[in-house]
Amino acid sequence: MYHIVVPVDEDESRAEAAGEFVTSLGDESGLNADLDDVSVTVVNVFKEFKAIDDGGNVRSEDLYDEDAFPDSVTTVQDQLEEADVEVELVRRHGDPAEEIIEYADSNDADAIVVPGRKRSRVGKAVFGSVTQDVILNADRPVTIV
């Protein structure tokens, strides 16, 4: 089984792009991968934060719900299941890049497929911080779609 980790935030169009990439592995890519031999874990990370104001402290731990997936996660889940790809959903809490890499490492994923953001010409020279951290620190193939 070829295991792919797909990190997804709240953006549905980026989630759909990642799902389309995975489902196209069987035909359009020329790889002719058997999607029955592909499993995907969609990872959503609730970013850790701490805020202090006149009303007191607010910590991300107080708001984190491991079952509260954004709509983008269920969108890509439906897309993958429609293509008969085995899919699992995981929600984590912490630094997004660290959580994505740690999950991929601890589950011996074969690859990470990261949906990228559209950027200006200047922005294209530098990936977003999460994407850049995943590219630089993962010890497995990373594909940006």
Side-chain angles (χ1 to χ4, degrees):
M1 184 71 64
Y2 192 81
H3 184 205
I4 301 172
V5 171
V6 178
V8 172
D9 61 11
E10 292 80 22
D11 189 291
E12 288 198 40
S13 64
R14 289 197 308 267
E16 288 175 355
E20 287 172 14
F21 175 81
V22 171
T23 59
S24 72
L25 292 174
D27 49 24
E28 295 173 14
S29 68
L31 295 176
N32 292 323
D34 185 352
L35 294 181
D36 290 336
D37 293 330
V38 174
S39 69
V40 173
T41 302
V42 178
V43 177
N44 174 256
V45 180
F46 187 76
K47 187 174 183 176
E48 187 173 37
F49 68 86
K50 183 176 181 180
I52 302 172
D53 66 8
D54 294 337
N57 294 333
V58 177
R59 299 176 318 153
S60 57
E61 295 89 20
D62 300 332
L63 303 174
Y64 173 67
D65 179 354
E66 69 181 16
D67 297 318
F69 291 97
D71 291 341
S72 56
V73 172
T74 54
T75 296
V76 74
Q77 176 187 25
D78 293 345
Q79 185 180 20
L80 293 168
E81 287 177 344
E82 187 175 305
D84 293 324
V85 174
E86 181 183 322
V87 61
E88 174 187 18
L89 304 181
V90 171
R91 188 137 201 257
R92 298 187 65 143
H93 175 253
D95 176 84
E98 289 176 12
E99 292 296 324
I100 293 162
I101 293 168
E102 193 281 326
Y103 182 84
D105 288 347
S106 66
N107 289 275
D108 198 27
D110 295 293
I112 303 172
V113 173
V114 181
R117 298 176 186 254
K118 290 190 177 186
R119 303 279 185 187
S120 67
R121 289 183 193 185
V122 173
K124 288 179 183 178
V126 179
F127 288 104
S129 61
V130 172
T131 302
Q132 185 175 10
D133 286 350
V134 171
I135 292 169
L136 294 174
N137 296 306
D139 65 353
R140 61 203 70 249
V142 177
T143 301
I144 311 302
V145 295

Short mmCIF file of all heavy atoms in Angstrom, two decimals, residues 31 77 90-91 130:
data_model
loop_
_atom_site.label_atom_id
_atom_site.label_comp_id
_atom_site.label_asym_id
_atom_site.label_seq_id
_atom_site.Cartn_x
_atom_site.Cartn_y
_atom_site.Cartn_z
N LEU A 31 1.39 7.29 -14.83
CA LEU A 31 1.95 6.31 -13.90
C LEU A 31 1.14 5.03 -13.87
O LEU A 31 1.63 3.99 -13.46
CB LEU A 31 2.02 6.90 -12.49
CG LEU A 31 2.95 8.08 -12.29
CD1 LEU A 31 2.83 8.60 -10.86
CD2 LEU A 31 4.38 7.70 -12.59
N GLN A 77 -12.23 14.42 1.27
CA GLN A 77 -12.58 13.06 1.65
C GLN A 77 -13.60 12.49 0.66
O GLN A 77 -13.43 11.37 0.16
CB GLN A 77 -13.15 13.02 3.07
CG GLN A 77 -13.63 11.64 3.48
CD GLN A 77 -14.35 11.65 4.82
OE1 GLN A 77 -14.91 12.66 5.24
NE2 GLN A 77 -14.31 10.51 5.49
N VAL A 90 -7.38 12.88 9.98
CA VAL A 90 -6.66 13.08 11.24
C VAL A 90 -6.64 14.56 11.55
O VAL A 90 -6.33 15.37 10.66
CB VAL A 90 -5.21 12.53 11.16
CG1 VAL A 90 -4.41 12.92 12.38
CG2 VAL A 90 -5.22 11.03 10.96
N ARG A 91 -6.97 14.92 12.77
CA ARG A 91 -6.88 16.32 13.20
C ARG A 91 -5.86 16.39 14.31
O ARG A 91 -5.85 15.59 15.23
CB ARG A 91 -8.24 16.82 13.69
CG ARG A 91 -8.23 18.33 13.94
CD ARG A 91 -9.49 18.97 13.40
NE ARG A 91 -9.33 20.38 13.18
CZ ARG A 91 -9.80 21.33 13.98
NH1 ARG A 91 -10.46 21.00 15.07
NH2 ARG A 91 -9.62 22.60 13.69
N VAL A 130 4.61 27.22 6.01
CA VAL A 130 4.31 25.81 6.27
C VAL A 130 4.83 24.95 5.13
O VAL A 130 5.53 23.96 5.35
CB VAL A 130 2.79 25.58 6.49
CG1 VAL A 130 2.48 24.09 6.56
CG2 VAL A 130 2.32 26.30 7.74
#
